[in-house]
Amino acid sequence: MKLCMIGTGYVGLVSGVCFSDLGNDVICVDKDLDKIQLLQNGKVPIYEPGLSELVIKNYKNKRLKFSNDLKKSVIESDIIFICVGTPTKKGSSSADLSQVYNVAKEISKSINKYKIIVTKSTVPLTTGDEIEKILQKKNKKNKFSVVSNPEFLREGEAIRDFTYPDRIVIGSNDKRSSKLMKSLYNPLISKGAQFLLTQRRAAELIKYASNSFLATKITFINEIANLCEQTGINVEDISIGIGLDKRIGGRFLRAGPAYGGSCFPKDTKAIVSTAEKFKINLSLVKSVIKSNKDRSKLLLNRINKILNKKIRNKKITFLGVTFKANTDDMRDSSSLVMIPFLSKKGALIKYYDPTGSKKELEKIKNVSYVDSIKKAVESSDLVILHTEWNDFKSINFKSLSKRKKFIIYDMRNIYSPNKIKNQGFKYFSIGR
Ligand SMILES: NC(=O)c1ccc[n+]([C@@H]2O[C@H](COP(=O)([O-])OP(=O)(O)OC[C@H]3O[C@@H](n4cnc5c(N)ncnc54)[C@H](O)[C@@H]3O)[C@@H](O)[C@H]2O)c1
């Protein structure tokens, strides 16, 4: 099939490349000309394991193209995926849908034959209805269908998640588009992916409900970790003990810093805001949002205690600053709350991240990037393990820092407390 992905970011690029790898002709469109030029030169603008190889392979065999000509790309395609950003609106908690509606307006000018317009962007329920209205202004009803196909891939595991999804959700209000969408995904369905066909609004809500539930699970175990810390219990035992119950399941039960990233923070806020429009109070999700906000403050208080309330002039190292491992994405990472706070309190901060320095941290006083773990930790007073990269899992701190014994605050519980203590370092972790 001929596909067009509008928005060549984490979702549009990964799903576009994977669709082309399944044998479809795909044009990835972006308004960011630098991004398109990079991709046309075989360079991938984001860090995602395995993506570069797939881009080069499918670009070479001409099933994958990159363009900034939205009009031409839409005319040439049968199915158009909207994959642009839906961040939180400034000064509000609802989703800013301006990018989605702008793209819908552009598409509406280029419908030359029947096309399916699919929202892969995470959009609040009723957005599909609005897109339909925009398209109807310039086109007859039988010339298009608007479908919701929420994306569940995780950054860092995106190719695997796209290729072997737990489920594929299609929200469609007509048979013609349902059938075509199912046949598009048939190669994945035949490999065992569950296919769920729903009304369009239901598919839109499934995405937000999923993310809110996962955010709730993380927040729940983070609160339980606080109780463990006060009572000498190891939260890891609790995670295993409750996770073994099949009704609960063990995933997303790892205590750590506040959840961040490009999805959970904005999607939990947006679902609350959407529900309010329908006069429904999602009190549980509201308290998850509050608890998560409080979490960074709580961990900062803990840092203050660990340093005996003397943060000024302390050398603090962050190992990893992204919201999770295997991505370069900094959106809403808890490090963006913690680092500026510590800098304001007079700390001297160094950080190392396997994906390099971050523009988000460039302008913060006394914050510098170093390009190796050794340089990051050697003269430090406190080393904070913030992101769970494999690169950090087997560091021999003793050999890296022969002269100085710093304190280690392991926010991901990746080290054995006894091993670290035996090397002569003071060690703190989460909920144990
Ligand atoms: N990142 C994830 O892990 C993830 C997972 C599932 C769902 N989502 C959802 O997918 C959507 C996209 O997220 P993302 O992380 O890929 O965003 P992103 O910011 O990485 O990419 C969006 C891209 O859209 C482009 N764009 C904006 N307006 C455009 C226009 N008019 N024409 C052409 N291109 C345009 C931008 O230049 C950008 O490259 C969001 O709604 C997000 O919630 C993201």
Side-chain angles (χ1 to χ4, degrees):
M1 282 190 221
K2 292 193 169 160
L3 313 181
C4 170
M5 318 304 292
I6 303 180
T8 306
Y10 288 86
V11 163
L13 180 58
V14 171
S15 43
V17 170
C18 292
F19 275 134
S20 72
D21 206 49
L22 292 174
N24 300 287
D25 291 318
V26 182
I27 313 175
C28 288
V29 177
D30 208 287
K31 63 175 184 182
D32 182 341
L33 196 55
D34 291 343
K35 214 178 238 189
I36 292 301
Q37 277 169 351
L38 267 179
L39 285 158
Q40 284 170 339
N41 290 322
K43 299 203 174 85
V44 173
I46 54 170
Y47 179 89
E48 181 61 47
L51 185 60
S52 213
E53 295 82 340
L54 269 194
V55 168
I56 292 167
K57 175 185 156 199
N58 288 287
Y59 188 59
K60 270 191 184 156
N61 69 23
K62 297 196 165 47
R63 276 206 301 263
L64 182 63
K65 288 186 197 156
F66 300 103
S67 169
N68 66 335
D69 189 340
L70 189 146
K71 197 173 176 194
K72 186 166 173 272
S73 307
V74 170
I75 289 173
E76 285 174 11
S77 305
D78 306 312
I79 306 181
I80 326 293
F81 286 87
I82 301 177
C83 309
V84 296
T86 49
T88 304
K89 207 185 261 175
K90 279 202 179 98
S92 134
S93 60
S94 60
D96 177 353
L97 297 171
S98 56
Q99 295 181 47
V100 172
Y101 293 145
N102 283 339
V103 166
K105 278 179 206 151
E106 288 300 309
I107 296 171
S108 75
K109 296 177 202 159
S110 311
I111 298 186
N112 53 332
K113 56 174 185 181
Y114 175 76
K115 292 183 194 294
I116 304 178
I117 318 303
V118 186
T119 47
K120 218 175 217 333
S121 295
T122 301
V123 292
L125 70 126
T126 69
T127 304
D129 306 359
E130 296 303 317
I131 294 175
E132 203 166 75
K133 281 183 204 155
I134 293 172
L135 297 176
Q136 266 170 15
K137 280 188 189 158
K138 290 208 181 304
N139 301 279
K140 287 205 176 107
K141 263 188 174 178
N142 62 356
K143 274 288 177 74
F144 66 88
S145 301
V146 178
V147 167
S148 164
N149 170 214
E151 183 50 61
F152 299 100
L153 61 77
R154 294 162 299 167
E155 288 172 14
E157 317 268 350
I159 291 167
R160 202 204 69 90
D161 283 352
F162 186 91
T163 317
Y164 302 100
D166 289 342
R167 79 294 208 193
I168 293 154
V169 176
I170 298 295
S172 160
N173 294 349
D174 68 86
K175 279 198 181 127
R176 188 175 181 184
S177 63
S178 319
K179 220 173 134 192
L180 273 163
M181 289 305 290
K182 191 170 182 189
S183 67
L184 172 67
Y185 276 108
N186 208 36
L188 305 184
I189 298 166
S190 61
K191 275 194 292 181
Q194 295 283 331
F195 181 79
L196 178 66
L197 183 64
T198 66
Q199 287 290 298
R200 189 170 61 212
R201 285 184 176 189
E204 291 170 338
L205 185 53
I206 284 170
K207 174 66 190 175
Y208 281 97
S210 296
N211 276 357
S212 303
F213 193 82
L214 293 171
T216 304
K217 240 180 144 180
I218 298 175
T219 306
F220 177 81
I221 200 66
N222 281 343
E223 289 199 353
I224 294 294
N226 297 341
L227 178 59
C228 290
E229 266 171 41
Q230 290 302 315
T231 49
I233 298 170
N234 184 344
V235 71
E236 309 277 299
D237 289 339
I238 309 303
S239 297
I240 296 168
I242 58 178
L244 284 172
D245 184 330
K246 289 197 176 69
R247 293 169 300 178
I248 298 172
R251 293 167 76 187
F252 278 76
L253 281 181
R254 301 271 323 273
Y259 63 73
S262 61
C263 293
F264 291 176
K266 77 172 176 66
D267 293 348
T268 43
K269 281 189 245 165
I271 194 176
V272 166
S273 164
T274 303
E276 271 164 6
K277 275 190 205 151
F278 293 93
K279 303 205 168 18
I280 297 298
N281 178 18
L282 294 184
S283 63
L284 180 63
V285 187
K286 279 185 190 165
S287 70
V288 166
I289 296 168
K290 179 169 185 316
S291 175
N292 193 58
K293 205 170 169 201
D294 292 345
R295 179 113 193 116
S296 293
K297 288 183 214 152
L298 193 139
L299 296 192
L300 284 164
N301 276 337
R302 186 103 202 274
I303 293 171
N304 194 30
K305 255 195 200 160
I306 290 171
L307 292 173
N308 292 323
K309 300 189 179 165
K310 287 177 195 137
I311 293 178
R312 181 157 300 283
N313 293 327
K314 282 282 173 350
K315 292 176 182 156
I316 301 181
T317 297
F318 274 72
L319 291 180
V321 287
T322 53
F323 78 102
K324 69 169 177 179
N326 295 322
T327 183
D328 56 353
D329 198 343
M330 283 295 284
R331 286 177 281 187
D332 273 324
S333 173
S334 61
S335 68
L336 292 176
V337 177
M338 288 195 264
I339 292 179
F341 179 91
L342 294 168
S343 147
K344 256 194 191 152
K345 293 278 171 197
L348 311 169
I349 299 165
K350 276 198 246 175
Y351 73 96
Y352 168 75
D353 191 281
T355 58
S357 65
K358 301 292 163 211
K359 64 176 186 324
E360 292 82 353
L361 299 171
E362 261 166 23
K363 290 197 178 119
I364 304 172
K365 209 175 152 194
N366 290 327
V367 177
S368 57
Y369 171 75
V370 287
D371 61 7
S372 77
I373 298 172
K374 186 172 167 49
K375 283 184 207 161
V377 303
E378 60 194 352
S379 60
S380 195
D381 296 306
L382 170 67
V383 172
I384 295 173
L385 187 289
H386 176 267
T387 313
E388 195 177 348
W389 283 86
N390 279 342
D391 312 40
F392 303 144
K393 286 188 178 157
S394 43
I395 301 176
N396 185 335
F397 287 106
K398 206 172 168 183
S399 73
L400 280 186
S401 176
K402 290 200 174 87
R403 273 170 293 136
K404 194 169 170 189
K405 293 279 179 278
F406 39 78
I407 306 167
I408 296 170
Y409 188 9
D410 173 5
M411 290 188 176
R412 301 286 177 175
N413 291 354
I414 66 173
Y415 303 122
S416 144
N418 284 340
K419 258 194 194 165
I420 299 279
K421 282 177 195 159
N422 288 342
Q423 289 178 18
F425 294 93
K426 254 193 174 178
Y427 176 80
F428 298 88
S429 54
I430 301 279
R432 53 181 196 173

